[in-house]
Amino acid sequence: MGVLDHLSDYFDCSSHGSKHKKRKQLQTVELKIRIDCEGCERKVKRALEGMKGVKQVDVDRKSNKATVVGYVEPSKVVARVAHRTGKKAELWPYVPYDVVAHPYAPGVYDKKAPAGYVRKADDPNVYQLARASSTEVRYTTAFSDENPAACVVM
């Protein structure tokens, strides 16, 4: 910050009390919205394109997904879609199948998810349900046909 910037802060009459406005970051917001027809798709796209700071809007009717790129806040995007279209909107709750360690664990697997996606699980208890303890693994592999040191009684 130079001397002129420092002096201009003292003699600036345009801003009363607020120093610098914090700029929003460019981000991508993905939403899950039920889109049935072309009319719904058009309505969602128009509602999102009219927002201040939006640079690009993509609506995928097949996967019920809308992607917004711009200088926006995710909560405001969800509220705008819900208000303007009357549709229930939420942040995209799915992650690719490959990212999750245990995709068939209860709470992660979702029948309604698009192909190749599972529900995002931030809860550590969900992962503990899917992971077997070391004693369980020992007992299950003790009687396995693939284990050469398995019990010979069988």
Side-chain angles (χ1 to χ4, degrees), residues 126-153:
V126 170
Y127 291 119
Q128 290 175 354
L129 292 173
R131 203 174 301 134
S133 66
S134 61
T135 55
E136 289 173 347
V137 170
R138 243 190 334 228
Y139 287 131
T140 55
T141 57
F143 296 103
S144 173
D145 290 336
E146 289 132 14
N147 187 359
C151 183
V152 289
V153 174

Side-chain angles (χ1 to χ4, degrees), residues 4 11 19 25 28-29 43 49 77 81 90 92 94 99-100 102-103 105 110 119 121 123 130 132 144 149:
L4 292 176
F11 297 112
K19 287 274 186 182
Q25 296 292 322
T28 302
V29 179
K43 186 189 278 189
E49 284 176 341
V77 173
V81 169
E90 62 179 317
W92 186 251
Y94 304 116
V99 176
V100 179
H102 304 286
D110 189 2
R119 189 166 283 281
D123 188 15
S144 173

Side-chain angles (χ1 to χ4, degrees), residues 18-63:
S18 64
K19 287 274 186 182
H20 298 284
K21 191 172 184 179
K22 189 175 179 182
R23 296 193 67 200
K24 296 177 185 172
Q25 296 292 322
L26 180 70
Q27 58 183 332
T28 302
V29 179
E30 296 177 328
L31 302 171
K32 178 184 174 188
I33 309 167
R34 179 149 181 152
I35 303 169
D36 299 320
C37 60
E38 288 182 26
C40 297
E41 183 178 353
R42 199 175 323 114
K43 186 189 278 189
V44 169
K45 192 165 187 162
R46 283 186 183 161
L48 291 171
E49 284 176 341
M51 277 187 77
K52 183 178 177 185
V54 171
K55 299 295 180 194
Q56 178 183 359
V57 176
D58 293 322
V59 179
D60 185 11
R61 185 174 33 169
K62 187 176 180 182
S63 62

Side-chain angles (χ1 to χ4, degrees), residues 1-11 19-20:
M1 188 170 191
V3 175
L4 292 176
D5 292 330
H6 188 66
L7 289 174
S8 67
D9 286 341
Y10 285 117
F11 297 112
K19 287 274 186 182
H20 298 284

